[in-house]
Amino acid sequence: MELAKSFEPAEIERRWYEHWETSGYFAAGLDRSKPADQSFCILLPPPNVTGTLHMGHGFNQTLMDALTRYHRMRGWNTLWQPGTDHAGIATQIVVERQLDAQGISRHDLGREKFLEKVWEWKEYSGGTITQQMRRMGTSPDWSRERFTMDAGLNKIVTETFVRLFNEGLIYRGKRLVNWDPKLHTAVSDLEVVQEEEDGFMWHLHYPLADGSGSLTVATTRPETMLGDTAVMVHPEDERYAHLIGKTVKLPLVDREIPIIADEYVDREFGTGVVKVTPAHDFNDYAVGLRHGLEMINVLDKNARIISLNCELAGSPVSDTAEYSKYWSMHLTLDSIPSKYQGLDRFDARKAIVADIEALGLLGEVKPHKLQVPRGDRTGVVIEPMLTDQWFVAMSKPGEDGKSITEKALEVVSSGEIEFVPGNWVNTYNQWLNNIQDWCISRQLWWGHQIPAWYGENGETFVAHSEDEARSLADKAGYSGALKRDPDVLDTWYSSALWPFSTLDWTPEYPAQSNDALDLYLPSTVLVTGFDIIFFWVARMVMMTKHITGK
């Protein structure tokens, strides 16, 4: 056999890696005779099935591999748990782009056929990262590899959802969320990038209803004025104290709205008078809740001014009664001038400013630097939108009297979990101490479909299966048709269960257990980036502690 003229490691490494893997050298130890403190478990942060390895992966996997091999060579029970994440939004975008290139939309295919295409793509491309890891020589236990959409994990996702719902810790409600007008789905705060951009500050004159003058509001988003339900001043601002409690006439729609006082107003900013649009601004939403203001949504799922036959986040609007039912207690489409209906939000902005100017109600227009929220996947401007979504109650006490947030804070303050370097504990604590309820529903097709079924009048039945939902409906005296919620769960919900779902946890735990659960829950160390402390680490701590007690 003739030797190669130069060293060519590829074939040698491939052959030996196959030998190591097939010989079981990386398999997790399951020897119960070893002392409890001789179990070492490390979780691979599951990379997106859409992705390929980059230098960051290479860096942290080198650390994980070194730690794993060290403990394995010490004779400990050792598990490096591998797997991949289904990456709901990212994966759906990839497959939809492939269909777009063929002139096909997912709606042309329908949900079932579209999901078949996604699974086909996953089988074709989804193993790229795991093959790259093998090529690097990493040593996880491939026999235990998991995927967040596999059957076992799907069952656990459903079980935890039903359990948390029955405990009152998961609920459905109409709240303000970040809405991506391109993806047509809610996205989390953590998937929104704030970018400083050049814009304008428009001063608009709102006439007092008694004809005695006007109030000038300053706004960067004049198009949302159609949904204003108040104007607001600071309670200690002497310039406007005599006007609190009176009303103004909202230009263009001629609706009377109150003048309210709230300490949120910055007296030094703009004119010291702020328009309040609770359905299209997070700060205004909080003000609206404090003052019991009406919530009026004036945009559809494409961020166009609502019109007949538009769609509002999955709710088709065919008449004013439908609009009133879904989006406001009193407002009808007749309240919005027909000339604006159907306009894109930015086209509506131009039209509204022009019409305000024509009425002689436009004051100064000043250049203004502002923070613009954009979707990290699409780059489009995110719209705060009032929609029906599913949430995890982050601060509500559970059956043991503690919220899941409290439990997550306690395990760090007690030293049960330690951050290295320690300064990152401040980031963790700050986020949890200021946390809002977690919006876990997404208006996508790829992901874990929410296990909830609805009756014809909005009756809701959360269950493990349609048969169980039917049984719950019968017991409740409802005999009509049931329709499953079409939405899926946030990708981070299933990955939050990673520490125990990968170990084949069952609802009967700890009475019913297995060797891997007993030896490797809780895990020993996590090597990950600080950028997913919020996305993943904190949520794993919350969910694992609450569901398993560990």
Side-chain angles (χ1 to χ4, degrees):
M1 177 178 171
E2 185 178 347
L3 289 174
K5 293 181 179 180
S6 60
F7 175 56
E8 297 174 0
E11 180 57 30
I12 297 170
E13 291 177 355
R14 184 194 61 78
R15 177 165 54 88
W16 277 109
Y17 193 91
E18 287 178 1
H19 173 70
W20 296 338
E21 185 178 347
T22 56
S23 298
Y25 294 159
F26 307 151
L30 297 173
D31 186 350
R32 286 182 173 272
S33 68
K34 293 180 180 178
D37 61 357
Q38 290 188 12
S39 291
F40 177 85
C41 176
I42 190 165
L43 303 168
L44 176 74
N48 287 356
V49 72
T50 56
T52 55
L53 291 188
H54 52 63
M55 288 298 288
H57 290 121
F59 172 64
N60 81 336
Q61 288 180 19
T62 298
L63 298 177
M64 284 186 270
D65 195 50
L67 288 167
T68 301
R69 289 175 182 270
Y70 170 71
H71 287 92
R72 190 184 290 133
M73 288 189 292
R74 294 178 74 188
W76 287 25
N77 286 314
T78 304
L79 168 63
W80 181 6
Q81 175 62 54
T84 49
D85 188 275
H86 66 280
I89 291 176
T91 301
Q92 183 154 320
I93 287 174
V94 168
V95 177
E96 286 202 66
R97 283 174 180 164
Q98 292 174 347
L99 293 174
D100 286 344
Q102 303 170 42
I104 302 171
S105 78
R106 65 182 166 110
H107 299 285
D108 294 332
L109 292 177
R111 186 175 191 132
E112 188 175 336
K113 293 291 184 184
F114 174 76
L115 290 178
E116 287 178 9
K117 291 289 185 186
V118 180
W119 278 106
E120 286 174 11
W121 179 85
K122 189 266 178 186
E123 293 305 314
Y124 168 75
S125 181
T128 300
I129 279 182
T130 55
Q131 291 305 314
Q132 288 177 314
M133 288 179 65
R134 286 175 168 91
R135 185 66 188 85
M136 281 172 52
T138 58
S139 64
D141 183 353
W142 293 113
S143 69
R144 298 190 62 88
E145 183 182 352
R146 296 292 188 269
F147 175 53
T148 50
M149 282 287 287
D150 69 31
L153 270 64
N154 181 261
K155 184 178 180 181
I156 292 171
V157 166
T158 299
E159 169 59 34
T160 58
F161 186 98
V162 174
R163 178 179 292 200
L164 291 171
F165 175 81
N166 290 335
E167 292 177 10
L169 298 180
I170 280 182
Y171 67 93
R172 190 168 187 256
K174 191 186 297 293
R175 297 183 55 159
L176 208 62
V177 298
N178 296 300
W179 184 262
D180 189 311
K182 184 172 182 179
L183 292 176
H184 297 162
T185 183
V187 295
S188 84
D189 294 343
L190 305 173
E191 293 163 312
V192 177
V193 179
Q194 299 287 341
E195 297 182 351
E196 186 176 79
E197 298 181 14
D198 292 324
F200 294 94
M201 180 73 74
W202 286 270
H203 288 194
L204 312 178
H205 305 312
Y206 284 22
L208 292 163
D210 62 9
S212 62
S214 64
L215 271 181
T216 302
V217 305
T219 180
T220 60
R221 304 186 65 212
E223 69 278 8
T224 64
M225 68 172 294
L226 300 173
D228 285 359
T229 56
V231 293
M232 176 170 58
V233 298
H234 193 280
E236 298 176 2
D237 193 329
E238 296 178 356
R239 293 173 295 176
Y240 307 115
H242 65 291
L243 296 175
I244 297 169
K246 293 188 176 184
T247 60
V248 296
K249 281 197 172 182
L250 185 60
L252 306 179
V253 297
D254 208 30
R255 182 160 42 84
E256 284 195 28
I257 57 177
I259 301 168
I260 64 173
D262 195 283
E263 292 183 351
Y264 168 72
V265 178
D266 181 353
R267 285 177 282 183
E268 308 303 319
F269 182 76
T271 62
V273 184
V274 180
K275 61 190 282 301
V276 185
T277 321
H280 291 289
D281 181 274
F282 284 100
N283 294 317
D284 289 3
Y285 178 72
V287 170
L289 291 177
R290 285 198 294 274
H291 292 267
L293 298 177
E294 194 174 357
M295 309 278 179
I296 297 176
N297 194 344
V298 297
L299 297 175
D300 70 9
K301 71 175 187 178
N302 297 296
R304 295 186 296 238
I305 304 297
I306 61 147
S307 60
L308 288 178
N309 301 312
C310 72
E311 280 196 36
L312 290 166
S315 302
V317 178
S318 56
D319 55 39
T320 56
E322 280 294 301
Y323 176 77
S324 183
K325 173 183 173 183
Y326 284 107
W327 300 99
S328 167
M329 290 184 292
H330 308 296
L331 185 76
T332 66
L333 280 170
D334 297 334
S335 304
I336 296 179
S338 59
K339 66 181 295 184
Y340 307 130
Q341 292 183 24
L343 287 181
D344 174 80
R345 55 187 160 166
F346 300 118
D347 293 332
R349 175 181 296 178
K350 295 174 184 176
I352 285 170
V353 169
D355 289 346
I356 289 284
E357 185 174 23
L359 291 171
L361 298 176
L362 180 64
E364 293 182 275
V365 180
K366 298 180 178 179
H368 181 71
K369 292 278 187 184
L370 65 159
Q371 294 293 319
V372 177
R374 292 187 178 273
D376 67 349
R377 298 285 183 189
T378 60
V380 301
V381 177
I382 295 296
E383 186 64 45
M385 192 82 83
L386 193 65
T387 66
D388 284 314
Q389 302 286 348
W390 287 92
F391 297 87
V392 176
M394 307 305 285
S395 303
K396 181 179 179 180
E399 294 175 352
D400 58 2
K402 295 180 180 179
S403 70
I404 59 175
T405 303
E406 283 180 275
K407 295 173 188 176
L409 287 165
E410 283 180 359
V411 293
V412 171
S413 63
S414 68
E416 186 177 346
I417 290 177
E418 180 185 0
F419 279 82
V420 180
N423 60 293
W424 288 110
V425 73
N426 298 323
T427 303
Y428 176 90
N429 287 340
Q430 183 179 24
W431 185 66
L432 286 176
N433 281 317
N434 294 281
I435 202 165
Q436 301 294 313
D437 286 357
W438 175 14
C439 177
I440 55 172
S441 47
R442 299 289 182 266
Q443 289 63 56
L444 303 171
W445 286 356
W446 174 241
H448 296 277
Q449 192 170 352
I450 290 172
W453 285 260
Y454 303 122
E456 294 165 349
N457 296 309
E459 301 89 346
T460 302
F461 306 100
V462 172
H464 298 85
S465 65
E466 185 170 0
D467 287 344
E468 184 181 335
R470 180 73 268 165
S471 177
L472 291 173
D474 292 342
K475 289 177 182 176
Y478 174 74
S479 58
L482 292 176
K483 183 179 180 182
R484 187 166 183 179
D485 193 316
D487 292 352
V488 301
L489 286 165
D490 176 13
T491 296
W492 297 100
Y493 182 92
S494 51
S495 60
L497 314 179
W498 197 243
F500 60 96
S501 62
T502 53
L503 299 175
D504 303 320
W505 173 88
T506 65
E508 294 76 26
Y509 179 82
Q512 184 181 47
S513 190
N514 62 60
D515 289 343
L517 262 173
D518 291 341
L519 291 170
Y520 297 124
L521 182 69
S523 55
T524 314
V525 63
L526 184 69
V527 182
T528 190
F530 63 84
D531 54 326
I532 56 174
I533 288 175
F534 313 134
F535 279 115
W536 189 47
V537 179
R539 287 169 175 168
M540 278 198 299
V541 175
M542 285 187 237
M543 297 296 274
T544 306
K545 185 68 177 178
H546 181 76
I547 297 292
T548 73
K550 292 187 178 180

